[in-house]
Protein backbone atom coordinates (compact mmCIF):
# COMPACT_ATOMS: atom_id res chain seq x y z
CA UNK A 1 0.00 0.00 0.00
CA UNK A 2 1.44 3.33 -1.02
CA UNK A 3 1.04 6.97 -0.22
CA UNK A 4 2.12 8.88 -3.28
CA UNK A 5 3.05 12.53 -3.49
CA UNK A 6 3.08 14.26 -6.80
CA UNK A 7 0.70 17.08 -6.99
CA UNK A 8 -0.96 14.41 -4.98
CA UNK A 9 -0.74 12.25 -1.89
CA UNK A 10 -2.00 8.72 -1.94
CA UNK A 11 -2.78 7.35 1.45
CA UNK A 12 -2.54 3.61 1.32
CA UNK A 13 -5.08 0.91 1.42
CA UNK A 14 -8.05 -0.49 3.18
CA UNK A 15 -8.22 1.63 6.26
CA UNK A 16 -5.21 3.59 7.28
CA UNK A 17 -6.06 6.96 8.70
CA UNK A 18 -4.47 10.22 7.92
CA UNK A 19 -4.42 12.08 11.21
CA UNK A 20 -2.33 15.07 10.26
CA UNK A 21 -0.25 16.20 7.33
CA UNK A 22 2.53 18.61 8.12
CA UNK A 23 3.66 20.87 5.30
CA UNK A 24 6.59 23.13 6.13
CA UNK A 25 6.41 25.48 3.14
CA UNK A 26 3.11 26.92 4.21
CA UNK A 27 3.50 26.05 7.91
CA UNK A 28 0.17 24.27 7.86
CA UNK A 29 -0.85 21.20 9.81
CA UNK A 30 -4.02 19.52 8.62
CA UNK A 31 -5.72 17.80 11.53
CA UNK A 32 -9.29 17.70 10.17
CA UNK A 33 -10.80 19.10 13.38
CA UNK A 34 -12.32 22.01 11.46
CA UNK A 35 -14.66 19.77 9.43
CA UNK A 36 -18.07 20.00 11.05
CA UNK A 37 -21.75 19.48 10.39
CA UNK A 38 -21.58 15.87 9.27
CA UNK A 39 -22.89 12.49 10.20
CA UNK A 40 -20.13 10.05 10.98
CA UNK A 41 -18.19 8.66 8.03
CA UNK A 42 -19.30 11.48 5.74
CA UNK A 43 -17.34 11.81 2.51
CA UNK A 44 -15.63 15.05 1.58
CA UNK A 45 -17.68 14.86 -1.63
CA UNK A 46 -20.96 14.88 0.30
CA UNK A 47 -19.74 17.81 2.40
CA UNK A 48 -18.75 19.82 -0.68
CA UNK A 49 -15.10 19.81 0.38
CA UNK A 50 -13.48 17.41 -2.10
CA UNK A 51 -12.35 20.23 -4.37
CA UNK A 52 -11.44 22.78 -1.76
CA UNK A 53 -10.59 21.55 1.74
CA UNK A 54 -7.64 23.64 3.02
CA UNK A 55 -7.02 24.83 -0.56
CA UNK A 56 -6.30 21.34 -1.93
CA UNK A 57 -8.27 18.83 -3.97
CA UNK A 58 -9.19 15.45 -2.45
CA UNK A 59 -10.33 13.34 -5.44
CA UNK A 60 -12.28 10.11 -5.14
CA UNK A 61 -10.29 8.36 -7.86
CA UNK A 62 -6.62 8.16 -8.65
CA UNK A 63 -5.41 9.69 -11.88
CA UNK A 64 -1.89 8.37 -11.31
CA UNK A 65 -2.97 4.82 -10.39
CA UNK A 66 -5.70 4.14 -12.98
CA UNK A 67 -5.34 0.37 -12.73
CA UNK A 68 -6.29 0.39 -9.05
CA UNK A 69 -9.99 0.19 -9.86
CA UNK A 70 -10.62 2.45 -6.91
CA UNK A 71 -13.21 5.17 -6.90
CA UNK A 72 -13.49 5.59 -3.16
CA UNK A 73 -13.74 9.07 -1.69
CA UNK A 74 -11.97 10.55 1.30
CA UNK A 75 -14.19 10.56 4.38
CA UNK A 76 -14.09 12.05 7.87
CA UNK A 77 -14.80 10.03 11.00
CA UNK A 78 -14.80 10.91 14.68
CA UNK A 79 -14.34 9.15 17.99
CA UNK A 80 -18.08 8.52 18.34
CA UNK A 81 -17.90 5.86 15.60
CA UNK A 82 -18.14 2.40 17.20
CA UNK A 83 -15.28 0.83 15.24
CA UNK A 84 -13.02 3.89 15.03
CA UNK A 85 -13.35 4.53 18.77
CA UNK A 86 -11.18 1.43 19.35
CA UNK A 87 -8.31 3.45 17.86
CA UNK A 88 -9.40 7.08 18.32
CA UNK A 89 -8.05 10.18 16.62
CA UNK A 90 -4.37 11.04 16.88
CA UNK A 91 -5.21 14.40 18.42
CA UNK A 92 -8.62 15.89 18.93
CA UNK A 93 -11.56 13.80 17.86
CA UNK A 94 -11.44 13.35 14.05
CA UNK A 95 -9.40 11.75 11.29
CA UNK A 96 -9.60 11.37 7.53
CA UNK A 97 -9.76 7.93 5.98
CA UNK A 98 -10.01 6.22 2.61
CA UNK A 99 -13.69 5.38 2.63
CA UNK A 100 -14.84 2.14 1.03
CA UNK A 101 -11.44 0.47 0.79
CA UNK A 102 -9.70 2.62 -1.81
CA UNK A 103 -6.09 1.40 -2.02
CA UNK A 104 -4.60 4.69 -3.28
CA UNK A 105 -5.47 8.16 -2.13
CA UNK A 106 -4.42 11.47 -3.58
CA UNK A 107 -4.30 15.03 -2.43
CA UNK A 108 -3.73 17.53 -5.23
CA UNK A 109 -1.60 20.39 -3.90
CA UNK A 110 -1.77 22.48 -7.08
CA UNK A 111 1.85 23.64 -6.89
CA UNK A 112 5.25 22.95 -5.36
CA UNK A 113 4.76 21.94 -1.73
CA UNK A 114 7.11 20.80 1.02
CA UNK A 115 5.66 17.83 2.87
CA UNK A 116 7.15 16.78 6.20
CA UNK A 117 5.00 13.69 6.78
CA UNK A 118 1.80 12.37 8.31
CA UNK A 119 0.46 10.16 11.10
CA UNK A 120 -1.21 6.89 10.14
CA UNK A 121 -3.15 4.15 11.87
CA UNK A 122 -5.64 1.43 11.06
CA UNK A 123 -9.41 1.97 11.17
CA UNK A 124 -10.12 -0.30 14.12
CA UNK A 125 -8.30 -2.53 16.58
CA UNK A 126 -8.03 -6.26 15.83
CA UNK A 127 -9.14 -6.00 12.21
CA UNK A 128 -7.18 -8.07 9.73
CA UNK A 129 -8.79 -6.33 6.76
CA UNK A 130 -6.71 -3.16 7.17
CA UNK A 131 -3.58 -2.04 5.40
CA UNK A 132 -0.25 -3.63 6.22
CA UNK A 133 2.12 -0.87 5.12
CA UNK A 134 2.23 2.77 4.02
CA UNK A 135 4.88 4.61 2.00
CA UNK A 136 5.23 8.09 0.46
CA UNK A 137 6.44 8.49 -3.12
CA UNK A 138 7.29 12.01 -4.36
CA UNK A 139 6.99 13.14 -7.96
CA UNK A 140 7.99 16.33 -9.73
CA UNK A 141 5.90 18.34 -12.20
CA UNK A 142 7.09 16.09 -15.07
CA UNK A 143 5.71 13.03 -13.22
CA UNK A 144 9.20 11.67 -12.49
CA UNK A 145 9.81 9.90 -9.22
CA UNK A 146 12.18 12.12 -7.21
CA UNK A 147 11.80 10.89 -3.60
CA UNK A 148 10.55 8.04 -1.50
CA UNK A 149 10.10 7.54 2.21
CA UNK A 150 10.72 4.55 4.39
CA UNK A 151 7.90 2.04 4.74
CA UNK A 152 5.96 1.79 7.98
CA UNK A 153 4.16 -1.36 9.07
CA UNK A 154 0.73 -0.75 10.54
CA UNK A 155 -0.30 -2.77 13.59
CA UNK A 156 -3.67 -3.97 12.34
CA UNK A 157 -3.98 -7.04 14.56
CA UNK A 158 -3.34 -5.34 17.89
CA UNK A 159 -5.79 -4.57 20.69
CA UNK A 160 -4.35 -1.05 20.82
CA UNK A 161 -2.69 -0.07 17.53
CA UNK A 162 -0.51 3.04 17.80
CA UNK A 163 -0.47 6.07 15.54
CA UNK A 164 2.80 6.18 13.60
CA UNK A 165 4.58 9.14 12.03
CA UNK A 166 5.71 8.55 8.45
CA UNK A 167 8.43 11.05 7.65
CA UNK A 168 8.49 12.32 4.07
CA UNK A 169 10.90 15.27 4.23
CA UNK A 170 10.04 16.15 0.63
CA UNK A 171 10.74 19.61 -0.81
CA UNK A 172 8.94 21.10 -3.80
CA UNK A 173 6.73 18.12 -4.60
CA UNK A 174 4.18 19.02 -7.26
Amino acid sequence: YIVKLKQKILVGAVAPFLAAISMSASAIVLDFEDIGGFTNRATLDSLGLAGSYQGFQWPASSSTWPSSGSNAPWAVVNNSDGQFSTVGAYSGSQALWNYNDGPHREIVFGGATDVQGAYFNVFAANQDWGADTVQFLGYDAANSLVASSAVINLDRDSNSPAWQWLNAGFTGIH
Side-chain angles (χ1 to χ4, degrees):
Y1 303 111
I2 297 174
V3 175
K4 183 176 181 180
L5 296 173
K6 179 183 176 300
Q7 292 175 316
K8 303 157 174 36
I9 286 181
L10 296 170
V11 178
V14 175
F17 279 85
L18 183 61
I21 302 173
S22 179
M23 289 170 271
S24 60
S26 56
I28 184 172
V29 174
L30 303 179
D31 64 8
F32 315 109
E33 292 297 317
D34 59 339
I35 301 174
F38 67 94
T39 56
N40 225 354
R41 300 188 186 193
T43 68
L44 292 187
D45 289 333
S46 70
L47 297 170
L49 298 174
S52 63
Y53 178 64
Q54 293 292 336
F56 307 125
Q57 295 175 21
W58 305 76
S61 61
S62 172
S63 61
T64 56
W65 292 81
S67 64
S68 70
S70 171
N71 191 25
W74 285 101
V76 64
V77 65
N78 64 41
N79 291 342
S80 68
D81 181 89
Q83 286 184 306
F84 179 62
S85 66
T86 65
V87 173
Y90 173 74
S91 66
S93 63
Q94 296 184 169
L96 210 61
W97 66 296
N98 52 335
Y99 187 85
N100 204 22
D101 304 341
H104 304 104
R105 293 283 43 101
E106 297 184 359
I107 301 169
V108 180
F109 295 125
T113 303
D114 295 350
V115 178
Q116 293 176 347
Y119 284 98
F120 292 91
N121 205 342
V122 294
F123 186 81
N126 289 316
Q127 297 295 324
D128 64 359
W129 42 259
D132 293 315
T133 61
V134 181
Q135 181 181 27
F136 285 117
L137 300 176
Y139 289 79
D140 63 15
N143 202 29
S144 298
L145 179 66
V146 295
S148 61
S149 73
V151 175
I152 60 171
N153 295 307
L154 299 176
D155 188 12
R156 67 183 190 166
D157 297 320
S158 171
N159 285 330
S160 54
W163 285 94
Q164 298 180 60
W165 174 257
L166 177 56
N167 189 56
F170 297 165
T171 303
I173 299 301
H174 280 268

